[in-house]
Amino acid sequence: MGRREGARRDLAGRTLHRSARGSLLNGYSAFMRPLLPFVVFVCVWWLIGAPSGAGVDPPESGWAGLVERAEAEHGEAGKRAAEFLLAHRPERDAGLDAEMLWSNLDLALKARAEFAWARGVPEELFLNDVLPYAVLDETRENWRPKFYEECRAIVGRCATATEAAQALNREYFKLIKVHYNTGRKSPNQSPSESIAQGRATCTGLSIILVYACRSVGIPARAAGVASWHDKRGNHTWVEVWDGAWHFTGADEYDANGLNRAWFAGDAGRAVPGDPMFAVWASSWKETGRHFPLVWDESSRVVHGVDVTARYLGQDVKDGAGKAVRHLRAWDGEQRVSAQVRVLDTHGALVGQVQTRAGTADLNDMPAVALTPDSRYAIEIEHDGRVYATALPTAAAGEETVDLRLDERWRVLSEEEAVAAVQAAWKQTGEAIAAEKAGREADTFSWNGHTMKVLEKTFGQAPEGERSLWISMHGGGGAPPEVNDQQWRNQIRLYELEEGIYVAPRAPTDTWNLWHQDHIDPLFDQLISTYIATRGVNPDKVYLMGYSAGGDGVYQVAPRMADRFAAAAMMAGHPNESQPLGLRNLPFAIFMGGKDEAYNRNKVAGEWGARLDELQQADPEGYPHRLTIYPDYAHWMQGEDREAIPWMAGHTRTPWPKRVVWRQDDVTHTRFYWLEVSPEQAAAGRQVVAAVDGQNIHIESADVDALRVHLHDELLDLDEPVRVEINGQLVFEGTVRRTREAIERSLADRRDPRAASTAQIDVIVPSP
């Protein structure tokens, strides 16, 4: 509590301030010491015996004689008004100026007599919510003369308190040129402090509107919460009385009337009785509770009334069970007004709002009620530019979403997208180079597994046009030295016209050298490193292997078909692998006709026949060749080198018009332009998808949801796109190119030619 700032007289007539009480006795001369007991009695009475609140005021105090003057000028009503103010004044106000106190009381009573609505106000309300000269703990000042003259002109033609309050909220802030701005010096500014700056926030604005209403006899008080139920901030507004209490936002005029405000839904979720989460209204008289001051949390100087019950249920039904997202848009540090469109996974518009800026309260945010645990796309239009990003929702409830007009979200043209991919890949390539520098030379590591490589370079190629050949050695199920010998032999096995020929050493010595789940991420790391640091063209990466390495080609090629330009299997066995994923990968089988171990020769023929069948059913897919050397057994005497020119004649198509994706026991989350979550990536699941013009047909999908990666090589992203799954339309609309989409794609797949510039998330409908 603040100390009383008034002054009192000692028995000798000298001025004594409360701050000097401790030195009272020391100030007397020796001849007055016999009077000491009497002086002590007076001091004790002064300190603890004076009536609470009113005190005994010095002759020059503004409170001295106020009751008598009020009674003389306004009769019994004036006397009761002065006594009420005096009885409930805050301790800090003991020394207030007489002119301020008198003009406040005098003009309050004049307004009560002048305005019809004021005459009908019960005296109890008049005393508590019209008469007081302050609302909270703001600086005290003689505001009423100015407000009375200015506000009575605004409400002159109003018939009711509601009309008058609406008129004041609509006109008075414009008149004094004060509006919402977080650059104000303090939250609890007095009107003159706000006018001097031309700015205030919700509390300062509310103080002004309460004063304005009180100046023309309308009961008014501040109301607010120290924190919303979801802890996203506090807020103060105004309540006015016209037969009952009604609420409104200060400087937030609503032509539809009172009890309409952006914060109604939040207030409807307040917690009764809670000092932090209840709705409190200010009171001049003591109530046993306090109004929470967020700028001075320990203060109890402002009395409060819990009015939460009147707000409960306000607009709550609209968001019940929903994921309610309150939206703000920012351009740097500046809050901006932007049009925000929310689209569901079907591309349908489910919400459109305009974010607030300027004089609107920081907490004044439009909201969209969305389905929990869903994913939405949002488009933000501001200053002639469009920004696009995703808006996921988690559980039901309310959240504030600050939408930053991030350059990564800006919608790009096709040309801008090409440049953005190049820029993003440059950054990605630098990161890959740094990773390489941190590893032992000629090694790759993943999840505790290390893969060494041997390398030879053949021929010349322009920068960025090198080819990369990954050649897997045989062996397996043998001591390390045996597999090491197979590895060193593999680097000598083939020669190229041009390219970087790499023989990796399998990280293990088990029989299934190249089947295991660490192989794919190691190969992915190898490929991206050579693209980033050795000038390899990502569309000229080839896979081959002999014996156990041939087993690896059977395994790896179908599940990583989207990384290679062609693959050749020499003298291997497929085990459980299936050829369905080879739809867009040229695949060659080379086998000795007498290689009968594990029925390799027979199985090779069966695979060739299976590829024939697949190609007959899909003539534009499954390019392949089967070469059986009838006179050779496991060693084909180098005849299989003819695979090299055949493979070199092919380049990868990173955006094929048709994709067949079947998950092996080693699963992937992305295959060409399709993606699933890790939870959906399960062995045996299959997705078949095709593009026809601007239409994407997903013919079968053993998953619940898909992300579709898009690029202008696949379809025209300047035109609307349709997606059907099992014959049902699941999306129709324009999909935006953004840097965010590009960066997200490269983060998942470090391959510049496969970097998508836009993505769609779709839900697979139930059969």
Side-chain angles (χ1 to χ4, degrees):
M1 301 288 285
R3 61 183 176 85
R4 294 190 180 180
E5 298 170 352
R8 300 180 186 272
R9 301 279 182 172
D10 68 10
L11 296 180
R14 289 175 296 190
T15 300
L16 290 173
H17 291 273
R18 288 248 174 145
S19 60
R21 290 173 192 163
S23 61
L24 179 63
L25 298 179
N26 295 331
Y28 292 101
S29 59
F31 72 89
M32 293 190 70
R33 286 174 184 163
L35 298 175
L36 184 59
F38 175 72
V39 172
V40 171
F41 169 77
V42 171
C43 290
V44 171
W45 174 86
W46 179 31
L47 288 170
I48 66 174
S52 174
V56 175
D57 296 295
E60 74 274 21
S61 167
W63 294 96
L66 180 65
V67 174
E68 292 78 5
R69 184 178 180 184
E71 183 177 17
E73 293 282 343
H74 294 285
E76 282 297 316
K79 178 184 178 183
R80 291 193 298 273
E83 289 175 338
F84 180 85
L85 285 177
L86 184 61
H88 302 290
R89 76 175 184 204
E91 184 178 356
R92 61 172 280 198
D93 292 349
L96 290 181
D97 177 73
E99 181 58 30
M100 189 207 85
L101 291 171
W102 173 250
S103 65
N104 175 77
L105 185 146
D106 183 53
L107 289 174
L109 289 167
K110 284 182 178 179
R112 182 164 173 75
E114 178 178 350
F115 299 101
W117 55 76
R119 293 192 293 271
V121 172
E123 184 173 84
E124 181 182 6
L125 278 175
F126 170 79
L127 295 176
N128 197 60
D129 300 299
V130 176
L131 175 66
Y133 50 80
V135 182
L136 302 174
D137 65 342
E138 69 272 19
T139 301
R140 304 323 197 208
E141 58 191 32
N142 192 15
W143 57 269
R144 204 177 284 260
K146 169 183 169 64
F147 275 72
Y148 175 70
E149 291 301 326
E150 292 174 342
C151 295
R152 68 196 297 261
I154 293 173
V155 304
R157 296 185 178 182
C158 296
T160 66
T162 295
E163 288 181 23
Q166 283 281 83
L168 292 170
N169 204 11
R170 183 184 64 239
E171 302 296 335
Y172 195 61
F173 293 98
K174 292 185 287 186
L175 177 66
I176 62 176
K177 297 181 173 60
V178 176
H179 299 289
Y180 185 90
N181 191 307
T182 55
R184 85 293 186 259
K185 292 181 179 179
S186 63
N188 57 331
Q189 293 172 169
S190 68
S192 68
E193 292 168 341
S194 295
I195 291 170
Q197 301 171 57
R199 60 186 65 179
T201 45
C202 59
T203 301
L205 295 171
S206 295
I207 290 171
I208 290 172
L209 185 56
V210 170
Y211 283 10
C213 290
R214 288 180 179 181
S215 74
V216 293
I218 302 170
R221 61 191 183 184
V225 291
S227 175
W228 294 124
H229 63 286
D230 56 4
K231 301 183 180 180
R232 75 173 190 278
N234 61 283
H235 190 52
T236 308
W237 59 92
V238 174
E239 289 192 336
V240 297
W241 191 86
D242 188 1
W245 286 106
H246 306 276
F247 64 84
T248 189
D251 197 20
E252 294 174 348
Y253 167 74
D254 189 326
N256 293 313
L258 301 176
N259 295 338
R260 298 173 185 273
W262 60 266
F263 54 81
D266 290 306
R269 294 169 174 81
V271 182
D274 192 294
M276 183 69 67
F277 300 110
V279 178
W280 296 93
S282 62
S283 172
W284 187 253
K285 65 183 179 182
E286 292 84 351
T287 61
R289 305 299 296 271
H290 71 278
F291 185 95
L293 306 180
V294 296
W295 53 90
D296 187 2
E297 294 181 356
S298 64
S299 175
R300 301 294 185 267
V301 300
V302 180
H303 306 299
V305 180
D306 184 352
V307 296
T308 309
R310 289 195 297 100
Y311 289 86
L312 294 181
Q314 292 279 348
D315 294 340
V316 172
K317 59 183 180 298
D318 295 335
K322 295 287 188 178
V324 178
R325 297 297 176 261
H326 300 267
L327 305 178
R328 287 186 297 219
W330 301 83
D331 188 357
E333 298 302 313
Q334 185 70 37
R335 192 166 48 122
V336 296
S337 177
Q339 185 181 80
V340 179
R341 296 181 291 273
V342 183
L343 302 98
D344 64 13
T345 53
H346 294 265
L349 183 69
V350 297
Q352 181 168 303
V353 297
Q354 192 79 23
T355 61
R356 314 281 196 265
T359 62
D361 189 277
L362 187 63
N363 289 313
D364 182 0
M365 295 172 282
V368 288
L370 306 173
T371 302
D373 300 310
S374 299
R375 191 175 182 87
Y376 295 85
I378 57 171
E379 296 181 350
I380 311 157
E381 189 169 349
H382 172 68
D383 198 21
R385 290 187 168 188
V386 178
Y387 302 78
T389 188
L391 180 65
T393 61
E398 297 192 49
E399 292 181 11
T400 296
V401 179
D402 286 305
L403 304 170
R404 304 284 174 179
L405 299 189
D406 193 324
E407 184 63 18
R408 297 179 309 133
W409 296 358
R410 183 171 64 83
V411 173
L412 305 175
S413 67
E414 182 177 356
E415 294 75 17
E416 288 175 323
V418 170
V421 169
Q422 293 172 347
W425 172 249
K426 183 175 183 296
Q427 291 184 333
T428 303
E430 290 170 353
I432 293 171
E435 292 170 8
K436 178 185 177 184
R439 294 193 302 266
E440 184 180 345
D442 300 323
T443 63
F444 298 90
S445 299
W446 183 84
N447 200 23
H449 295 279
T450 298
M451 182 177 73
K452 299 178 181 180
V453 298
L454 298 172
E455 175 194 309
K456 283 185 177 181
T457 301
F458 297 89
Q460 301 294 323
E463 179 63 28
E465 289 299 323
R466 276 286 188 189
S467 61
L468 174 65
W469 300 72
I470 301 172
S471 185
M472 293 179 284
H473 66 79
E481 56 271 19
V482 173
N483 290 322
D484 285 343
Q485 186 276 327
Q486 291 287 329
W487 172 40
R488 294 188 179 93
N489 181 65
Q490 194 72 19
I491 196 67
R492 301 189 295 267
L493 202 55
Y494 303 101
E495 293 188 355
L496 312 173
E497 288 291 325
E498 179 282 321
I500 301 173
Y501 178 77
V502 174
R505 168 57 162 94
T508 68
D509 295 296
T510 58
W511 71 272
N512 55 343
L513 296 172
W514 306 104
H515 299 213
Q516 301 169 76
D517 61 5
H518 55 263
I519 296 300
D520 301 43
L522 285 168
F523 277 9
D524 182 78
Q525 187 182 116
L526 184 156
I527 293 167
S528 63
T529 299
Y530 274 85
I531 294 171
T533 66
R534 300 295 297 280
V536 166
N537 182 336
D539 292 337
K540 294 182 178 180
V541 180
Y542 304 91
L543 181 70
M544 56 199 305
Y546 205 104
S547 189
D551 297 0
V553 174
Y554 273 130
Q555 295 283 332
V556 174
R559 65 194 192 212
M560 294 186 69
D562 54 343
R563 300 308 307 270
F564 303 115
M569 192 292 306
M570 288 82 166
H573 192 287
N575 294 285
E576 84 295 343
S577 61
Q578 298 291 324
L580 288 173
L582 299 174
R583 198 268 173 189
N584 299 297
L585 178 66
F587 190 83
I589 298 172
F590 294 87
M591 183 66 64
K594 297 179 180 179
D595 191 352
E596 298 176 350
Y598 308 107
N599 291 320
R600 290 192 191 100
N601 52 359
K602 180 180 178 182
V603 173
E606 293 172 352
W607 254 63
R610 177 67 176 133
L611 288 168
D612 286 341
E613 293 173 2
L614 290 169
Q615 190 174 51
Q616 288 175 5
D618 184 358
E620 295 182 5
Y622 297 100
H624 66 282
R625 64 174 285 181
L626 170 64
T627 303
I628 304 291
Y629 301 105
D631 297 330
Y632 299 141
H634 195 55
W635 172 242
M636 292 177 281
Q637 303 297 321
E639 295 290 342
D640 52 297
R641 294 189 183 97
E642 65 178 298
I644 302 296
W646 181 84
M647 295 169 72
H650 297 281
T651 57
R652 180 182 65 156
T653 302
W655 298 97
K657 296 293 186 179
R658 184 175 174 83
V659 173
V660 179
W661 183 12
R662 180 180 174 81
Q663 295 277 13
D664 193 10
D665 54 354
V666 176
T667 61
H668 286 247
T669 57
R670 182 171 172 186
F671 192 69
Y672 292 105
W673 40 269
L674 298 173
E675 182 182 349
V676 297
S677 68
E679 296 75 20
Q680 295 287 306
R685 288 189 171 179
Q686 183 171 307
V687 181
V688 179
V691 174
D692 177 15
Q694 293 297 108
N695 301 300
I696 299 172
H697 304 280
I698 299 175
E699 299 170 11
S700 63
D702 295 338
V703 293
D704 297 329
L706 282 165
R707 172 170 289 173
V708 181
H709 290 260
L710 300 177
H711 192 281
D712 283 282
E713 288 189 29
L714 189 64
L715 40 69
D716 186 351
L717 288 174
D718 290 323
E719 298 295 329
V721 174
R722 287 170 50 91
V723 181
E724 292 183 356
I725 299 181
N726 299 325
Q728 296 187 50
L729 182 66
V730 296
F731 178 87
E732 184 171 18
T734 302
V735 191
R736 308 294 193 176
R737 309 178 193 89
T738 66
R739 285 178 174 81
E740 182 184 42
I742 293 166
E743 292 171 4
R744 183 165 53 232
S745 178
L746 281 173
D748 177 66
R749 172 66 57 81
R750 302 200 292 188
D751 181 341
R753 287 284 292 121
S756 59
T757 57
Q759 293 120 25
I760 308 172
D761 292 317
V762 294
I763 304 299
V764 177
S766 301

